[in-house]
Amino acid sequence: RSYDDIEPTWLPDGDIAFVSTRCKRWVNCWLTPVATLYRCRPDGTDLRPISSNLEHDNTPWPLPDGRLLYTRWEYVDRSQVDYHHLWTTNPDGTSQMVYYGNLHPGTLMIDAKPIPGTEKILSIFSPGHGAAEHAGFVTIVDPKAGPDEPRAARRLSGLGDCRDPYPISADCFLVAGGASLRLMNARGQSEEIYHLTDAERKAGFWLHEPRPVVARERETVISSRVD
């Protein structure tokens, strides 16, 4: 059978982390397959799971200290729709830990990435169970106040149609939204730098996951703790 392998990211040691439905699980309240965290070598070998979550994991991304930041759907003994918050794990699957938001239901926090030169992260906060295509509000989270301090999250975008933010610097973020690509600063001011043509939109094209094609500092490599 086929599997869905999605949302890949490079690990500091050169391997790839991604999300996959290879776990052969199904959402308890709906007939859709679950995708959880996996890793493999660049050629696809040595593929192994690094999460045992019963529901979805999403959008892994390395932090400067080498941990993976990702979205975890908490389901068992909790609401089916309210807890989709930010967690961390070592790249070998050890030391899974809440990062932010796990005591504040009603917001899906996704597509989180570290902001260069700071201890903060940039994320999408999508209302409720989450909007289609990860749409929501661009939000900066400062974890220094603790994992559940509401004031630690600062919303930047006034519209909830933003997607896939990518922090280039502490005051410059790429953001997809609708048919446009925007540059946004840390005050939430934005400027459109690209827009799909009418023909592209009619053909079904979308703008997703903007990336600058530039070098970045390699994150810390955390040695494996598993056999």
Side-chain angles (χ1 to χ4, degrees), residues 22 81 112 145 152 161 163 205:
R22 296 167 183 266
V81 298
D161 66 343
R163 302 188 310 271
F205 286 103

Side-chain angles (χ1 to χ4, degrees), residues 29 73-75 78-84 106-108 128-130:
C29 58
W73 182 4
E74 284 286 280
Y75 190 110
R78 308 191 84 179
S79 164
Q80 298 99 320
V81 298
D82 280 340
Y83 295 91
H84 316 74
T107 302
L108 179 143
H129 203 31

Side-chain angles (χ1 to χ4, degrees), residues 11 13 39 48-51 66-68 89-96 222-227:
L11 293 172
D13 63 3
R39 65 174 293 165
R48 57 197 187 276
I50 56 174
S51 167
R67 293 177 299 163
L68 275 176
T89 181
N90 288 339
D92 62 0
T94 61
S95 298
Q96 295 187 10
I222 300 176
S223 299
S224 179
R225 303 175 182 178
V226 300
D227 183 351

Side-chain angles (χ1 to χ4, degrees), residues 123-127 131 134-139 155-163 175-180 182 184 188-190 192:
S123 180
I124 287 290
F125 279 29
S126 191
H134 300 184
F137 301 92
V138 180
T139 304
R155 179 184 294 183
L156 300 185
S157 60
L159 298 176
D161 66 343
C162 297
R163 302 188 310 271
V175 178
S180 69
R182 308 170 192 165
M184 182 178 292
Q189 300 166 324
S190 65
E192 184 179 73

Side-chain angles (χ1 to χ4, degrees), residues 80-227:
Q80 298 99 320
V81 298
D82 280 340
Y83 295 91
H84 316 74
H85 299 119
L86 299 176
W87 286 59
T88 60
T89 181
N90 288 339
D92 62 0
T94 61
S95 298
Q96 295 187 10
M97 181 71 69
V98 170
Y99 183 84
Y100 184 75
N102 197 46
L103 292 184
H104 299 291
T107 302
L108 179 143
M109 304 172 185
I110 201 162
D111 288 308
K113 298 175 180 64
I115 299 175
T118 77
E119 296 180 6
K120 304 173 183 178
I121 61 105
L122 191 68
S123 180
I124 287 290
F125 279 29
S126 191
H129 203 31
E133 304 296 336
H134 300 184
F137 301 92
V138 180
T139 304
I140 291 177
V141 177
D142 187 346
K144 290 187 295 184
D148 290 294
E149 171 54 60
R151 292 173 297 177
R154 181 167 63 89
R155 179 184 294 183
L156 300 185
S157 60
L159 298 176
D161 66 343
C162 297
R163 302 188 310 271
D164 309 323
Y166 189 101
I168 298 174
S169 71
D171 198 34
C172 184
F173 314 134
L174 286 171
V175 178
S180 69
L181 178 62
R182 308 170 192 165
L183 276 179
M184 182 178 292
N185 63 23
R187 296 173 299 284
Q189 300 166 324
S190 65
E191 177 183 355
E192 184 179 73
I193 58 174
Y194 181 78
H195 197 279
L196 291 177
T197 65
D198 290 340
E200 288 171 332
R201 297 180 68 181
K202 289 179 181 178
F205 286 103
W206 286 67
L207 282 172
H208 276 297
E209 300 185 16
R211 298 284 188 271
V213 186
V214 295
R216 73 170 190 265
E217 185 175 351
R218 186 180 295 269
E219 300 85 3
T220 300
V221 176
I222 300 176
S223 299
S224 179
R225 303 175 182 178
V226 300
D227 183 351

